[in-house]
Amino acid sequence: MHLLRNSLDHGIEMPDEREAKGKPRIGEVGLIARHEGNNVVIMVTDDGKGIDADIIRRKAVEKGLYSQEEVDQMDDADAVRIVFLPGFSTAEKISDISGRGVGMDVVRSKIESLSGQVDVETHVNEGSVFKIKLPLTLAIIQAMLVQVQDEMYAIPLASIDSTLSIQLSDISTVQNNEVIVLRGEIIPIIRMEETLMVPHTKDTSELFVVVVHAGEAKAGIVVDKLIGQQEIVIKTLGNLFMGLKMFSGATVLGDGRVALILDVATMLN
């Protein structure tokens, strides 16, 4: 919000001034968001008067932030970045929009607290671009929700080949490992009860299996119930649970319950 306010108050000129410069009387402020690698990039752009590096230098000296000698040695890009220093403002008067002395330094400190970066590119009488780069800490994926006893788990859909129900008689033992034969392929099975070390509570003749893959490896994960497909937001488990290699994160379901997300690659290794 503060960046948008700045673009309106400091950037966009009054209609008569814009017209005198050969610009449309109505200014334009843009808000752009996109992915860039492992980051989210947010840009606030305007086609206003830009930031004059000489004015920034003069204000910085007036406010005692730098000496005249120091600002004279700065190139224009570094001089413009002074706007991110605490208490710096070029507004001549305080308004409801800006000039209150709480500004770009707060923006920068907040973004840096999120492990992000903020920078500005500007051209006099052409406009400015404030660019925020934040790490992509959240990811949304499609997952299959399954149930093991009373607990819910999520399996990323990208790792699933198929789901099926089998009978106990469909399970064979090869070299002390339980396997099933699916379309002529021998697939080892993983019983979630045993992997999670939860006590076995009930016997049933029908078993639900989620066939998953990681690279060339495949396995069938045995669960009590298939809930269905859902779009979930991955949340990290935090440092306290870093040792739980079997889970890649967690998600909060619509009813408030937490479902752990299975790390298929770790389970198959």
Side-chain angles (χ1 to χ4, degrees):
M1 281 301 296
H2 193 86
L3 291 176
L4 289 169
R5 287 173 178 268
N6 265 345
S7 291
L8 290 168
D9 198 34
H10 293 286
I12 301 296
E13 312 96 328
M14 290 297 179
D16 289 345
E17 184 181 347
R18 291 180 59 85
E19 195 171 51
K21 294 177 180 178
K23 295 182 179 182
R25 287 179 64 83
I26 299 175
E28 186 175 292
V29 175
L31 184 59
I32 303 164
R34 66 167 184 259
H35 284 119
E36 196 173 276
N38 292 321
N39 297 289
V40 173
V41 174
I42 301 168
M43 294 190 293
V44 177
T45 69
D46 67 70
D47 63 348
K49 58 189 173 185
I51 302 174
D52 191 324
D54 289 334
I55 294 177
I56 300 295
R57 291 187 181 96
R58 176 170 58 81
K59 286 283 186 178
V61 174
E62 287 177 5
K63 292 177 178 292
L65 298 173
Y66 291 97
S67 67
Q68 187 63 52
E69 292 76 14
E70 288 174 324
V71 296
D72 287 342
Q73 292 175 2
M74 294 180 182
D75 60 25
D76 286 352
D78 286 335
V80 167
R81 291 189 182 101
I82 293 175
V83 300
F84 293 111
L85 293 181
F88 185 86
S89 176
T90 58
E92 299 296 337
K93 61 181 179 180
I94 295 174
S95 71
D96 289 338
I97 299 178
S98 66
R100 291 161 292 180
V102 179
M104 301 305 294
D105 63 308
V106 176
V107 173
R108 184 179 69 173
S109 63
K110 181 63 179 176
I111 291 168
E112 289 178 349
S113 74
L114 299 171
S115 301
Q117 300 172 322
V118 60
D119 203 2
V120 58
E121 297 176 14
T122 187
H123 299 282
V124 175
N125 291 326
E126 293 182 19
S128 302
V129 178
F130 284 89
K131 185 176 183 180
I132 300 169
K133 185 179 286 188
L134 295 168
L136 188 62
T137 53
L138 293 180
I140 300 175
I141 63 167
Q142 296 285 334
M144 172 69 72
L145 295 180
V146 300
Q147 188 170 329
V148 178
Q149 293 193 17
D150 295 329
E151 297 296 328
M152 301 271 282
Y153 298 91
I155 305 174
L157 212 60
S159 301
I160 297 177
D161 279 358
S162 59
T163 59
L164 62 150
S165 63
I166 62 171
Q167 303 296 318
L168 280 173
S169 57
D170 294 325
I171 299 176
S172 304
T173 301
V174 176
Q175 296 179 345
N176 295 322
N177 293 315
E178 290 185 311
V179 300
I180 57 173
V181 179
L182 180 64
R183 295 186 287 272
E185 186 177 5
I186 297 175
I187 296 175
I189 65 170
I190 299 171
R191 291 183 181 264
M192 284 295 291
E193 283 185 348
E194 295 177 3
T195 304
L196 295 169
M197 292 184 288
V198 294
H200 181 70
T201 57
K202 61 180 180 179
D203 291 312
T204 176
S205 59
E206 185 181 31
L207 301 174
F208 294 99
V209 178
V210 181
V211 180
V212 297
H213 68 270
E216 298 298 320
K218 281 187 180 181
I221 299 175
V222 179
V223 299
D224 293 339
K225 192 175 181 181
L226 301 174
I227 305 300
Q229 181 180 331
Q230 188 170 316
E231 196 172 69
I232 62 171
V233 176
I234 300 174
K235 295 183 179 292
T236 58
L237 291 174
N239 295 331
L240 188 62
F241 299 102
M242 287 296 286
L244 299 176
K245 302 298 184 184
M246 183 176 151
F247 305 108
S248 60
T251 188
V252 180
L253 303 175
D255 59 4
R257 285 189 293 173
V258 174
L260 292 170
I261 303 168
L262 300 182
D263 187 335
V264 172
T266 300
M267 293 180 70
L268 267 57
N269 288 337

